[in-house]
């Protein structure tokens, strides 16, 4: 092996940063053989060096001068998170000729195209496998392995917290709030779980996947976001009665109308591959024209799994630095329109609480017909609630999201019908 050294600066020494440092130290000799150069950790930027007691990080490497550190490394590994100051640090690194490895999904979802352009302009790499799906290798296949194919749709469970919550609700019949508290106690959910249960974390990943799949500038603001905070035990029970499982999916796809990107709860057939993904695991289902269906599955979060993806990117970029080359660019040449989320069509199930009276079903049907919604199936449940009402389940054929919402509002406002309990997308395949 040629005696070359690639200097690595680590920004952030939290859970993932600590585990990344461990891998670089414990596997130094083997990683050097893989990269064709020794990978040397030359600086670690933190807010307070006194709070870092990590056996894999030499205290002499700790610094609070983060911006300065980005100017004197071959590879800058950004694990701070958030938009600023992470964006400033990453741009500084790129503009000073350093390649960048990051796990920052929020930054890439908001400023990715700007950073990709800066990397290209300066002749350096930017790699981000850990930003989507933790240890699951999904970014590299989209960026490199499938670059000769045309990708039409990606559906993924890309947030372990929400999958754990929905799985516990499904398998144990627990309430949302109960499972959320359990997830927080086990470390699967943050103290403030808004980013996860609100669908924002998954939306950032959806934007990144859309950019890679469709070569189109897709940002976080282009993603239609609906979380799981309103999913109830009754929704779960209704899905099970229909042989379906509720999952929070990130979905990006292209059609004749253009590109759509969204995150929302979906009722999947129980035999669908994604319906079988349990606990905090992640899975991404990719549909290509030539490759057909591909599925990527594994740990979507956690210090060690995420660090494995970060370390893999470091080795790849170090190999490029040692060889005097760079990896593939991220070309954004498509001008396909991004479709308004309200016009995206899907099959839906609407759950109603209605009076057990003559003419109620006819009045509901009239409202659906008024909005030109074709009904696939209707089912009235025999159980009565405390008011003597019954649940009515109506499954539709494909209809625009805007139309089903308008219909639900009219049904709710109609006299002598009842109330709308929930609306949820239904996937048939």
């Amino acid at each position: 092996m040629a005696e070359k050294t690639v200097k690595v600066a680590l920004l952030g020494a939290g859970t993932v940063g600590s585990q990344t440092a461990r891998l670089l130290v414990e596997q130094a000799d083997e990683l050097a053989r893989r990269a064709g150069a020794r990978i040397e950790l030359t600086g670690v930027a933190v807010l307070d060096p006194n709070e870092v007691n990590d056996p894999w990080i030499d205290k002499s490497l700790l610094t609070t001068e983060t911006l300065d550190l980005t100017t004197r490394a071959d590879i800058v590994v950004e694990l701070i998170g958030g938009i600023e100051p992470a964006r400033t640090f990453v741009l500084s690194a790129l503009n000073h000729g350093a390649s960048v490895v990051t796990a920052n999904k929020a930054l890439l979802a908001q400023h990715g195209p700007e950073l990709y352009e800066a990397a290209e302009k300066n002749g350096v790499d930017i790699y981000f496998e850990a930003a989507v799906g933790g240890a699951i290798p999904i970014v590299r296949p989209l960026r490199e392995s499938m670059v000769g194919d045309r990708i039409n749709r990606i559906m993924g469970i890309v947030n372990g917290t929400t999958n754990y919550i929905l799985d516990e609700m499904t398998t144990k019949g627990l309430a949302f709030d109960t499972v959320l508290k359990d997830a927080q106690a086990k470390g699967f959910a943050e103290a403030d779980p808004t980013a996860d249960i609100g669908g924002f974390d998954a939306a950032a990943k959806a934007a990144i996947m859309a950019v890679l799949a469709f070569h189109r500038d897709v940002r976080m603001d282009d993603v239609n976001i609906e979380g799981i905070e309103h999913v109830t035990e009754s929704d779960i029970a209704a899905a099970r009665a229909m042989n379906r499982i509720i999952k929070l999916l990130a979905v990006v796809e292209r059609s004749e109308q253009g590109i759509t990107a969204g995150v929302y709860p979906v009722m999947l057939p129980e035999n669908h591959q994604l319906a079988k993904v349990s606990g905090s695991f992640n899975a991404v289902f990719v549909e290509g024209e030539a490759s057909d269906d591909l599925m990527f599955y594994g740990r979507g979060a956690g210090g060690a799994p995420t660090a494995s993806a970060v370390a893999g990117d470091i080795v790849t970029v170090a190999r490029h630095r040692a060889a005097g080359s760079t990896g593939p660019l991220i070309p954004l040449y498509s001008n396909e329109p991004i479709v308004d989320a309200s016009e995206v069509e899907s099959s839906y199930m609407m759950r109603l609480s209605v009076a057990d009276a003559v003419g109620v079903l006819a009045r509901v049907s009239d409202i659906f017909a008024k909005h030109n919604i074709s009904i696939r199936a209707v089912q009235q449940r025999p159980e009565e609630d405390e008011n003597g009402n019954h649940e009515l389940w109506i499954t539709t054929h494909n209809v625009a999201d805007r139309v089903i919402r308008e219909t639900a509002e009219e049904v709710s406002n109609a006299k002598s019908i009842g109330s709308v309990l929930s609306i949820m997308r239904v996937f048939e395949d």
Side-chain angles (χ1 to χ4, degrees):
M1 182 185 70
E3 293 185 1
K4 298 179 180 179
T5 299
V6 175
K7 297 178 181 180
V8 175
L10 182 62
L11 311 187
T15 302
V16 177
S18 172
Q19 289 298 312
T20 298
R22 177 181 66 81
L23 293 176
L24 295 181
V25 172
E26 288 186 347
Q27 302 182 33
D29 291 340
E30 189 167 0
L31 297 183
R33 295 186 182 96
R34 296 175 187 175
R38 182 155 293 278
I39 299 172
E40 180 183 353
L41 188 60
T42 58
V44 180
V46 294
L47 289 176
D48 186 354
N50 294 321
E51 293 184 356
V52 179
N53 294 298
D54 196 310
W56 302 291
I57 298 178
D58 188 327
K59 285 190 175 293
S60 66
L61 300 179
L62 297 173
T63 179
T64 58
E65 299 297 326
T66 308
L67 196 60
D68 175 66
L69 187 60
T70 64
T71 68
R72 49 188 177 87
D74 298 312
I75 302 174
V76 172
V77 182
E78 186 275 307
L79 299 174
I80 299 172
I83 305 298
E84 286 291 356
R87 173 178 168 273
T88 297
F89 296 149
V90 169
L91 282 174
S92 173
L94 296 172
N95 291 330
H96 282 88
S99 293
V100 168
V101 172
T102 179
N104 193 334
K105 53 189 172 290
L107 176 63
L108 295 171
Q110 196 64 34
H111 296 287
E114 173 190 0
L115 302 180
Y116 309 149
E117 182 180 353
E120 181 179 354
K121 176 183 176 182
N122 291 286
V124 294
D125 282 322
I126 179 166
Y127 272 65
F128 45 91
E129 186 65 65
V132 182
I136 300 173
I138 182 61
V139 170
R140 194 77 58 85
L142 293 176
R143 183 175 179 176
E144 300 180 33
S145 305
M146 300 187 72
V147 73
D149 201 352
R150 178 180 172 86
I151 298 172
N152 291 321
R153 181 166 70 161
I154 301 173
M155 297 194 305
I157 296 170
V158 293
N159 183 273
T161 299
T162 52
N163 199 57
Y164 174 82
I165 291 173
L166 291 173
D167 190 50
E168 291 287 288
M169 292 177 70
T170 299
T171 58
K172 298 180 181 180
L174 300 175
F176 176 86
D177 290 341
T178 300
V179 181
L180 175 57
K181 290 178 182 177
D182 175 61
Q184 290 171 320
K186 292 180 177 178
F188 292 154
E190 301 290 342
D192 179 1
T194 304
D196 292 321
I197 65 174
F200 301 103
D201 174 84
K205 297 169 184 176
I208 295 169
M209 291 190 293
V211 167
L212 296 173
F214 307 137
H215 302 282
R216 173 71 159 85
D217 185 348
V218 179
R219 309 286 177 116
M220 183 82 163
D221 292 342
D222 298 316
V223 183
N224 178 36
I225 307 172
E226 183 182 339
I228 66 166
E229 57 268 57
H230 301 303
V231 177
T232 67
E233 307 100 294
S234 297
D235 292 320
I236 298 289
R240 292 308 302 264
M242 298 171 63
N243 297 317
R244 293 182 176 275
I245 304 293
I246 297 176
K247 296 291 186 182
L248 183 73
L249 298 187
V251 181
V252 299
E253 58 187 326
R254 69 163 119 219
S255 64
E256 293 180 356
Q257 289 72 41
I259 291 171
T260 60
V263 172
Y264 33 71
V266 174
M267 289 186 176
L268 290 171
E270 62 183 9
N271 61 352
H272 192 284
Q273 292 94 325
L274 292 176
K276 301 173 184 178
V277 178
S278 61
S280 60
F281 278 82
N282 282 194
V284 181
F285 197 77
V286 182
E287 300 176 13
E289 283 191 2
S291 60
D292 204 3
D293 297 341
L294 301 171
M295 184 167 169
F296 301 83
Y297 170 86
R299 293 285 181 188
T306 305
S308 73
V310 173
D313 279 349
I314 293 172
V315 171
T316 297
V317 175
R319 186 185 298 131
H320 295 162
R321 300 287 295 201
S325 64
T326 59
L329 304 175
I330 303 177
L332 301 180
Y333 55 83
S334 173
N335 58 2
E336 292 179 82
I338 296 176
V339 180
D340 187 330
S342 66
E343 300 303 326
V344 177
E345 293 190 350
S346 174
S347 174
Y348 285 84
M349 190 184 84
M350 185 184 297
R351 288 177 49 240
L352 307 171
S353 174
V354 299
D356 188 11
V358 174
V360 169
L361 180 56
R363 289 195 291 275
V364 172
S365 298
D366 286 344
I367 295 174
F368 273 71
K370 175 184 174 182
H371 290 272
N372 295 315
I373 297 178
S374 176
I375 295 176
R376 182 192 299 269
V378 178
Q379 183 178 6
Q380 180 168 317
R381 305 299 293 174
E383 304 86 359
E384 289 187 354
D385 64 17
E386 62 275 11
N387 298 316
N389 291 342
H390 292 257
E391 283 198 13
L392 185 67
W393 299 349
I394 300 178
T395 306
T396 74
H397 289 281
N398 280 358
V399 57
D401 184 77
R402 170 184 55 79
V403 175
I404 195 71
R405 306 290 172 184
E406 291 172 352
T407 304
E409 183 176 1
E410 185 167 345
V411 170
S412 296
N413 292 334
K415 295 181 179 180
S416 305
I417 289 183
S419 60
V420 176
L421 301 176
S422 66
I423 307 169
M424 194 169 298
R425 291 168 180 80
V426 176
F427 279 12
E428 296 302 326
D429 52 27

PDB file of all heavy atoms in Angstrom, residues 15 56 63 203 208 233 272:
ATOM      1  N   THR A  15     -23.866  10.462  19.392  1.00  0.00           N
ATOM      2  CA  THR A  15     -23.962   9.009  19.280  1.00  0.00           C
ATOM      3  C   THR A  15     -23.343   8.486  17.991  1.00  0.00           C
ATOM      4  O   THR A  15     -22.513   7.574  18.000  1.00  0.00           O
ATOM      5  CB  THR A  15     -25.437   8.577  19.353  1.00  0.00           C
ATOM      6  OG1 THR A  15     -26.005   9.037  20.582  1.00  0.00           O
ATOM      7  CG2 THR A  15     -25.546   7.058  19.293  1.00  0.00           C
ATOM      8  N   TRP A  56     -12.504   6.570  22.157  1.00  0.00           N
ATOM      9  CA  TRP A  56     -11.989   6.481  20.791  1.00  0.00           C
ATOM     10  C   TRP A  56     -11.551   7.839  20.252  1.00  0.00           C
ATOM     11  O   TRP A  56     -11.060   7.925  19.140  1.00  0.00           O
ATOM     12  CB  TRP A  56     -13.048   5.882  19.866  1.00  0.00           C
ATOM     13  CG  TRP A  56     -13.478   4.527  20.313  1.00  0.00           C
ATOM     14  CD1 TRP A  56     -12.734   3.379  20.292  1.00  0.00           C
ATOM     15  CD2 TRP A  56     -14.727   4.179  20.898  1.00  0.00           C
ATOM     16  NE1 TRP A  56     -13.447   2.331  20.823  1.00  0.00           N
ATOM     17  CE2 TRP A  56     -14.677   2.800  21.206  1.00  0.00           C
ATOM     18  CE3 TRP A  56     -15.888   4.888  21.200  1.00  0.00           C
ATOM     19  CZ2 TRP A  56     -15.742   2.135  21.787  1.00  0.00           C
ATOM     20  CZ3 TRP A  56     -16.953   4.233  21.787  1.00  0.00           C
ATOM     21  CH2 TRP A  56     -16.874   2.863  22.073  1.00  0.00           C
ATOM     22  N   THR A  63     -11.817  20.413  19.464  1.00  0.00           N
ATOM     23  CA  THR A  63     -11.728  21.849  19.217  1.00  0.00           C
ATOM     24  C   THR A  63     -13.126  22.448  19.115  1.00  0.00           C
ATOM     25  O   THR A  63     -14.083  21.745  18.779  1.00  0.00           O
ATOM     26  CB  THR A  63     -10.955  22.146  17.913  1.00  0.00           C
ATOM     27  OG1 THR A  63     -10.917  23.564  17.709  1.00  0.00           O
ATOM     28  CG2 THR A  63     -11.635  21.510  16.713  1.00  0.00           C
ATOM     29  N   ALA A 203     -40.183  12.913   5.337  1.00  0.00           N
ATOM     30  CA  ALA A 203     -40.331  13.805   4.190  1.00  0.00           C
ATOM     31  C   ALA A 203     -38.977  14.272   3.675  1.00  0.00           C
ATOM     32  O   ALA A 203     -38.762  14.402   2.461  1.00  0.00           O
ATOM     33  CB  ALA A 203     -41.198  15.004   4.565  1.00  0.00           C
ATOM     34  N   ILE A 208     -34.813  13.676  -0.760  1.00  0.00           N
ATOM     35  CA  ILE A 208     -33.491  13.216  -1.199  1.00  0.00           C
ATOM     36  C   ILE A 208     -33.626  12.089  -2.217  1.00  0.00           C
ATOM     37  O   ILE A 208     -32.948  12.079  -3.262  1.00  0.00           O
ATOM     38  CB  ILE A 208     -32.660  12.750   0.014  1.00  0.00           C
ATOM     39  CG1 ILE A 208     -32.364  13.936   0.932  1.00  0.00           C
ATOM     40  CG2 ILE A 208     -31.363  12.088  -0.448  1.00  0.00           C
ATOM     41  CD1 ILE A 208     -31.777  13.537   2.277  1.00  0.00           C
ATOM     42  N   GLU A 233     -56.610   3.462  17.571  1.00  0.00           N
ATOM     43  CA  GLU A 233     -56.792   2.007  17.665  1.00  0.00           C
ATOM     44  C   GLU A 233     -57.916   1.542  16.751  1.00  0.00           C
ATOM     45  O   GLU A 233     -57.869   0.436  16.190  1.00  0.00           O
ATOM     46  CB  GLU A 233     -57.118   1.583  19.102  1.00  0.00           C
ATOM     47  CG  GLU A 233     -56.146   2.069  20.155  1.00  0.00           C
ATOM     48  CD  GLU A 233     -56.657   3.289  20.891  1.00  0.00           C
ATOM     49  OE1 GLU A 233     -56.781   4.348  20.252  1.00  0.00           O
ATOM     50  OE2 GLU A 233     -56.953   3.159  22.093  1.00  0.00           O
ATOM     51  N   HIS A 272     -48.270  -7.601   1.490  1.00  0.00           N
ATOM     52  CA  HIS A 272     -47.314  -6.729   0.813  1.00  0.00           C
ATOM     53  C   HIS A 272     -45.988  -6.770   1.574  1.00  0.00           C
ATOM     54  O   HIS A 272     -45.956  -6.846   2.800  1.00  0.00           O
ATOM     55  CB  HIS A 272     -47.851  -5.294   0.774  1.00  0.00           C
ATOM     56  CG  HIS A 272     -47.083  -4.379  -0.133  1.00  0.00           C
ATOM     57  ND1 HIS A 272     -45.850  -3.858   0.195  1.00  0.00           N
ATOM     58  CD2 HIS A 272     -47.386  -3.890  -1.363  1.00  0.00           C
ATOM     59  CE1 HIS A 272     -45.416  -3.091  -0.786  1.00  0.00           C
ATOM     60  NE2 HIS A 272     -46.327  -3.085  -1.746  1.00  0.00           N
TER      61      HIS A 272
END
